[in-house]
């Protein structure tokens, strides 16, 4: 089976924040990663002027677009009828809906491989991971797969934080840390010397394509992948080098971050998830003795370096 996969890929959540990078990488892959790539999206997305342009670009590269509702079983069955591999990039609000999508995949005759939407922090990093609030929906999806999905093989792509989203200093959550090239000011969590593993957004797409090209190592696996490992202080140094100026650096002690996190959850603040993830990242939850990059055929020089990500941040390029 492994040698025939993937042939027909269905991408769900393709126009989302990371979905765009994953869909771009799959559709643009040379040589092609599959004979057919189809985007399954809602009619609202398909008719939104901003997203129409993205979808048209992909169509001009040979992808197909079908519309439907991920909550409608008939729409999903129709989408699955010509699909052997599903790549889900659904956003946090829609993660739980993947349980039904997986049930339908298992029931179908066609789907053989499913990438649930992960592309982030390792939700099974250590014994404390199971209690982290932001992990709960992804953990439920993995639990459903373990208990109920036997025929379809699943692959989780675990990337750690995207530096493009980690770097900005958000006025609403300064304590969570960040870097502001305009004011040349950084807020660093802890001492700033503890390492964090990152995957840039273009590299997430590259790594998903690599996983698709290597079913022999990817099927049924939680792949731990990364662009680079660095420290918050090394990021400050890179900004200083590229802006030619000394930056002001403030620190949030780890304990203060924990307090801000607790307060945010108590007030149902939308930034509570960010605080928790920043705490997990600051405390080493992205570090491995060895990643799976190499078994996917990717060398360190294939990945985007810190300098490029900082260059994009300095030039004000968004994601
Ligand atoms: N590592 C990191 O730093 C990091 C950062 C952000 C996200 N992530 C992870 O990446 C994954 C995708 O997140 P994202 O932020 O890219 O997602 P997103 O932009 O919020 O949404 C992605 C897509 O999901 C679909 N969608 C969203 N809400 C829906 C709903 N209620 N009903 C139906 N479809 C819905 C839409 O698909 P259409 O395109 O078809 O409209 C949307 O474009 C998640 O697992 C998230 O945890 C990781």
């Amino acid at each position: 089976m492994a040698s025939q996969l993937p042939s027909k890929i269905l991408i769900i959540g393709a126009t989302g924040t990371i979905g765009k990078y994953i869909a771009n990488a799959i559709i643009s892959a040379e040589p092609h990663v599959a004979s057919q790539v189809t985007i399954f999206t809602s009619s609202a997305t398909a008719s939104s002027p901003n997203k129409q342009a993205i979808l048209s670009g992909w169509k001009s590269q040979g992808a197909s677009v079908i519309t439907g509702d991920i909550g409608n079983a008939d729409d999903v069955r129709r989408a699955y009828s010509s699909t052997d591999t599903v790549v889900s990039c659904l956003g946090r609000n829609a993660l739980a809906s993947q349980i039904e999508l997986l049930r339908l995949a298992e029931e179908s005759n066609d789907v053989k491989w499913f990438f649930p939407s992960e592309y982030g922090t390792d939700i099974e990093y250590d014994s404390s991971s199971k209690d982290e609030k932001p992990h709960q929906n992804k953990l439920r999806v993995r639990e459903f797969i373990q208990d109920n999905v036997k025929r379809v093989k699943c692959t989780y792509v675990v990337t750690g934080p995207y530096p493009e989203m980690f770097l900005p200093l958000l006025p609403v959550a300064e304590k969570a840390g960040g870097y502001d090239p305009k004011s040349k000011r950084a807020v660093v969590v802890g001492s700033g010397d503890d390492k964090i593993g990152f995957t840039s957004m273009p590299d997430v797409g590259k790594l998903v394509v690599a996983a698709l090209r290597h079913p022999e190592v990817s099927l049924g696996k939680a792949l731990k992948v990364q662009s680079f490992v660095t420290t918050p202080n090394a990021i400050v140094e890179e900004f200083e080098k590229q802006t030619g100026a000394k930056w002001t650096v403030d620190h949030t002690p780890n304990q203060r971050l924990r307090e801000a996190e607790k307060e945010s959850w108590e007030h149902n603040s939308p930034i509570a998830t960010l605080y928790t993830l920043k705490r997990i990242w600051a405390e080493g939850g992205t570090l491995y003795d060895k990643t799976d990059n190499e078994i996917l055929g990717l060398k360190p020089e294939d990945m985007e370096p810190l300098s490029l990500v900082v260059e994009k941040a300095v030039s004000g390029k968004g994601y």
Side-chain angles (χ1 to χ4, degrees), residues 11-20 39-42 44-46 51 69-70 88-95 97-98 116-121 138 159-163 165-166 199 201 204 277 281:
I11 310 177
I12 306 177
T15 72
T17 309
I18 199 61
K20 273 185 288 196
I39 309 294
F40 180 42
T41 191
S42 64
T45 291
K51 299 212 166 178
D69 178 355
I70 54 163
S88 167
C89 311
L90 287 171
R92 281 196 165 276
N93 294 341
L95 291 175
S97 62
Q98 294 179 116
S117 181
E118 288 248 351
Y119 322 113
T121 307
K138 288 183 182 177
T159 63
Y162 313 150
M165 296 180 87
F166 177 93
T199 305
M201 296 171 84
V204 174
L277 293 175
W281 302 335

Side-chain angles (χ1 to χ4, degrees), residues 202-232:
D203 280 352
V204 174
K206 195 182 293 171
L207 286 153
V208 171
V209 167
L212 287 164
R213 287 202 196 284
H214 292 280
E216 73 286 0
V217 294
S218 301
L219 283 169
K221 197 149 183 231
L223 298 166
K224 318 289 164 53
V225 293
Q226 272 167 2
S227 298
F228 55 82
V229 175
T230 191
T231 67

Side-chain angles (χ1 to χ4, degrees), residues 34-297:
S35 60
Q36 184 186 303
V37 180
T38 303
I39 309 294
F40 180 42
T41 191
S42 64
S43 48
T45 291
S47 56
S48 130
N50 289 345
K51 299 212 166 178
Q52 260 174 1
I54 302 172
L55 294 169
S56 300
W58 288 334
K59 280 200 246 181
S60 70
Q61 290 179 268
S64 311
V65 175
I66 56 172
T67 56
D69 178 355
I70 54 163
N72 180 314
D74 287 336
D75 288 356
V76 175
R77 283 192 194 100
R78 235 186 330 270
Y80 283 175
S81 71
S82 55
T83 293
D84 53 61
T85 302
V86 177
V87 177
S88 167
C89 311
L90 287 171
R92 281 196 165 276
N93 294 341
L95 291 175
S97 62
Q98 294 179 116
I99 289 177
E100 182 63 4
L101 294 177
L102 281 152
R103 197 187 63 72
L104 293 167
E106 182 73 357
E107 197 183 272
S108 80
N109 289 321
D110 300 281
V111 179
K112 297 180 181 66
W113 197 5
F114 199 111
F115 286 63
S117 181
E118 288 248 351
Y119 322 113
T121 307
D122 192 342
I123 59 167
E124 295 184 330
Y125 186 79
D126 60 21
S127 57
S128 66
S129 305
K130 65 179 187 328
D131 300 320
E132 301 290 5
K133 291 192 181 78
H135 295 354
Q136 295 310 309
N137 279 330
K138 288 183 182 177
L139 285 169
R140 279 179 57 209
V141 171
R142 286 200 190 188
E143 194 182 339
F144 179 82
I145 290 168
Q146 194 172 335
D147 295 346
N148 302 284
V149 179
K150 307 293 173 201
R151 192 186 56 78
V152 175
K153 300 294 170 219
C154 293
T155 298
Y156 310 108
V157 180
V158 176
T159 63
Y162 313 150
E164 295 88 339
M165 296 180 87
F166 177 93
L167 293 180
L169 182 62
L170 305 177
V172 289
E174 283 212 350
K175 285 189 279 290
Y179 305 79
D180 178 27
K182 281 209 181 95
S183 62
K184 299 190 174 47
R185 177 171 166 258
V187 178
V188 161
V189 174
S191 69
D193 286 327
D194 294 316
K195 289 180 178 167
I196 304 176
F198 293 95
T199 305
S200 77
M201 296 171 84
D203 280 352
V204 174
K206 195 182 293 171
L207 286 153
V208 171
V209 167
L212 287 164
R213 287 202 196 284
H214 292 280
E216 73 286 0
V217 294
S218 301
L219 283 169
K221 197 149 183 231
L223 298 166
K224 318 289 164 53
V225 293
Q226 272 167 2
S227 298
F228 55 82
V229 175
T230 191
T231 67
N233 286 341
I235 298 175
V236 174
E237 278 171 30
E238 185 60 34
F239 271 110
E240 289 182 334
K241 188 171 136 198
Q242 294 200 24
T243 57
K246 193 82 193 145
W247 280 39
T248 306
V249 182
D250 295 321
H251 289 261
T252 303
N254 287 49
Q255 183 53 29
R256 183 67 199 100
L257 183 69
R258 279 186 172 268
E259 286 159 12
E261 176 191 356
K262 188 164 175 278
E263 282 159 27
S264 314
W265 283 109
E266 280 167 4
H267 292 96
N268 280 328
S269 162
I271 53 172
T273 291
L274 176 71
Y275 276 121
T276 298
L277 293 175
K278 289 256 184 171
R279 189 248 310 146
I280 293 169
W281 302 335
E283 293 181 347
T286 61
L287 302 176
Y288 302 95
D289 291 337
K290 193 167 171 34
T291 67
D292 292 310
N293 287 35
E294 205 178 307
I295 59 164
L296 296 175

